[in-house]
Amino acid sequence: MLTNRSAPHARVTPVLIVADVRAAVAWYGEVLGFVEHVRIGEGHRAQLGLPDGPAAELVVAEVRPGRRTPLPQTSHQVMFKVADVAEVVERALARGARLVDEMHDWEYGERQAAIEDPFGHQWVLNQTLRDVDPAEWGGTTVTPRPSSS
């Protein structure tokens, strides 16, 4: 698959619509560790990614015809893997986020909490505690994922 320095490299890239692109870029950098790769106009659009590790990219875009910020009762969630859920939640709340779901450890080996960022987008912060076979908690592996090693 070809890559292009002017476009995100991830195969699935969330596009979050915000009223203030520059404020959102700063917040996602300070709280979640994203870096800006490409800026398209001062307040039009930005492509963000993580500085290291597996590809994770995000586009932040301005409100335009056909694009809107989240509305009450209509939303989405972006699941984001972090090293320490508690630390990221604390940092997010200190910078204006709202806690949606308290931190909880799940039987499938993950610790999660959900926040709503100041721009109305929900993030499920996810920390892996241990590797668990889905059969241990009642899940079923349908198509095994390729080995990450």
Side-chain angles (χ1 to χ4, degrees):
M1 187 177 304
L2 293 176
T3 59
N4 173 356
R5 287 174 289 158
S6 293
H9 291 185
R11 299 227 11 225
V12 176
T13 305
V15 177
L16 301 183
I17 308 305
V18 299
D20 186 339
V21 171
R22 300 313 315 154
V25 168
W27 198 91
Y28 296 137
E30 291 169 13
V31 174
L32 301 176
F34 281 91
V35 295
E36 187 172 18
H37 290 301
V38 177
R39 182 180 300 172
I40 304 165
E42 198 50 35
H44 171 59
R45 194 174 180 101
Q47 296 173 14
L48 310 180
L50 294 174
D52 55 17
E57 299 201 46
L58 177 68
V59 171
V60 180
E62 68 184 341
V63 176
R64 296 176 75 177
R67 291 190 213 153
R68 59 168 175 71
T69 57
L71 301 171
Q73 304 303 317
T74 59
S75 187
H76 56 274
Q77 290 183 321
V78 178
M79 185 174 282
F80 185 57
K81 190 169 285 284
V82 299
D84 184 337
V85 167
E87 188 268 329
V88 176
V89 166
E90 181 179 326
R91 192 168 55 235
L93 296 178
R95 289 177 175 79
R98 180 178 70 82
L99 189 63
V100 176
D101 287 320
E102 297 277 343
M103 188 169 59
H104 184 81
D105 291 353
W106 295 96
E107 63 273 11
Y108 47 83
E110 302 293 306
R111 173 173 291 151
Q112 295 178 331
I115 61 167
E116 182 177 293
D117 70 29
F119 314 99
H121 300 284
Q122 285 191 12
W123 294 79
V124 176
L125 304 170
N126 190 69
Q127 174 184 348
T128 298
L129 301 175
R130 64 187 181 91
D131 181 36
V132 177
D133 184 324
E136 287 183 40
W137 53 269
T140 303
T141 299
V142 177
T143 303
R145 290 184 178 91
S147 174
S148 60
S149 50

